[in-house]
Amino acid sequence: MNRPSYATDKVLKQFIKNALEEDIQDGDHSTLSTIPKDLQQSAKLLVKENCILAGVELAEIIFKTFDKNLIVENYIKDGEVAKSGDIAFIVTGSARSILSTERLVLNCMQRMSGIATLTHDWDSRLIGSKTKLLDTRKTTPNFRVCEKWAVAIGGGTNHRYGLYDMIMLKDNHIDYNGSITNAVKMAKDYVKKSKKKLKIEVETRNLEEVQEAIDAKVDRIMLDNMDVATMKKAVKLINGSCESEASGGITRGQLKEIATTGVTFISVGALTHSAENIDLSLKAVM
């Protein structure tokens, strides 16, 4: 699959630079003290449990950023099913370089594969419906690029990336402004004045707020912590005038039923904050 637009070379290089600096600082002394400088070796990425593999492309970028002479031979691509015992790739080159980047590669791939696997599982519950599964901003600080990328690899759809690429007026914005009507008017004035192309989404807590958001002519209405019966009424009220999004404590078991309401999206923070890491290891090829 194509790399998402937010995962630019610049963003990834900065992430990798910071991560390696955090880990290595003035040197990987375990490796420097025991591994000859000119020793050339290979290592295999071993999959130790069934999963949707993610982070393969990132792993190669990490290796190449640290040492451009490392060679990676891939056997499984991002988004493909991997089974316990599979070899995802073999990296060959400086033994020192392989050892110094091992943990960063594994940390990223284990986390990303966990998110991709969970997303794929949840998204499969929506097959046959038009509803799309969204992630949220409930991500690990400084690791968002990898976590959202993993959601995309797993078949989910990314919500806004951050605070800068969409206006989302949540309960506190609305309460501070006194009403949805006031908050949306200010947001629209801001968009016009700043000449930014930003969609406006409003969080609603009941049908009265849904109607107010419809009247304010927003791009998307979030149905927050509503039961299915109320969601159905809200979607009927909206009647295609804008997008709709179900959100708030949604579980896997609720997905199919929520999709029957006709909502455009279901957003789930659990995709990124509750996924379990997949067991992977980088083993020397002897």
Side-chain angles (χ1 to χ4, degrees), residues 230-262:
T230 306
M231 280 187 209
K232 284 183 179 178
K233 293 177 182 177
V235 172
K236 189 174 181 180
L237 267 179
I238 293 168
N239 194 29
S241 61
C242 66
E243 297 173 335
S244 56
E245 176 186 332
S247 183
I250 292 167
T251 65
R252 181 182 183 276
Q254 295 174 311
L255 291 171
K256 284 187 177 181
E257 188 180 12
I258 290 173
T260 65
T261 66

Side-chain angles (χ1 to χ4, degrees), residues 120-135:
H120 182 267
D121 176 58
W122 283 49
D123 193 54
S124 68
R125 306 281 292 178
L126 297 176
I127 292 174
S129 76
K130 294 182 180 179
T131 303
K132 292 183 179 180
L133 183 67
L134 294 180
D135 57 16

Side-chain angles (χ1 to χ4, degrees), residues 86-157:
D86 284 349
I87 295 172
F89 61 73
I90 292 179
V91 56
T92 302
S94 164
R96 283 188 173 184
S97 296
I98 292 171
L99 289 167
S100 293
T101 51
E102 173 185 356
R103 180 41 55 195
L104 176 57
V105 166
L106 287 174
N107 285 350
C108 291
M109 289 194 67
Q110 288 174 325
R111 182 80 184 129
M112 290 179 71
S113 295
I115 291 169
T117 301
L118 183 64
T119 301
H120 182 267
D121 176 58
W122 283 49
D123 193 54
S124 68
R125 306 281 292 178
L126 297 176
I127 292 174
S129 76
K130 294 182 180 179
T131 303
K132 292 183 179 180
L133 183 67
L134 294 180
D135 57 16
T136 70
R137 284 173 48 246
K138 294 176 182 177
T139 55
T140 309
N142 297 318
F143 199 60
R144 181 175 297 176
V145 62
C146 300
E147 292 180 339
K148 281 193 170 274
W149 188 359
V151 168
I153 289 171
T157 301

Side-chain angles (χ1 to χ4, degrees), residues 155-261:
T157 301
N158 294 138
H159 205 312
R160 58 175 180 164
Y161 186 77
L163 294 171
Y164 65 90
D165 58 348
M166 184 179 190
I167 291 177
M168 184 189 289
L169 304 176
K170 305 196 80 173
D171 52 358
N172 285 337
H173 296 95
I174 294 161
D175 290 343
Y176 285 158
N177 272 274
S179 70
I180 287 173
T181 304
N182 290 343
V184 172
K185 182 182 184 304
M186 291 188 71
K188 287 185 174 181
D189 288 345
Y190 173 84
V191 169
K192 184 176 181 181
K193 186 176 180 180
S194 64
K195 298 181 180 179
K196 294 183 180 294
K197 294 180 179 179
L198 296 170
K199 286 189 173 183
I200 299 174
E201 177 172 6
V202 170
E203 180 182 293
T204 60
R205 296 163 282 194
N206 51 57
L207 293 177
E208 289 73 23
E209 289 189 346
V210 170
Q211 186 60 60
E212 189 178 355
I214 293 169
D215 294 341
K217 293 182 170 55
V218 297
D219 298 292
R220 186 184 302 176
I221 297 174
M222 178 189 288
L223 312 176
D224 189 50
N225 285 299
M226 293 184 188
D227 58 38
V228 172
T230 306
M231 280 187 209
K232 284 183 179 178
K233 293 177 182 177
V235 172
K236 189 174 181 180
L237 267 179
I238 293 168
N239 194 29
S241 61
C242 66
E243 297 173 335
S244 56
E245 176 186 332
S247 183
I250 292 167
T251 65
R252 181 182 183 276
Q254 295 174 311
L255 291 171
K256 284 187 177 181
E257 188 180 12
I258 290 173
T260 65
T261 66

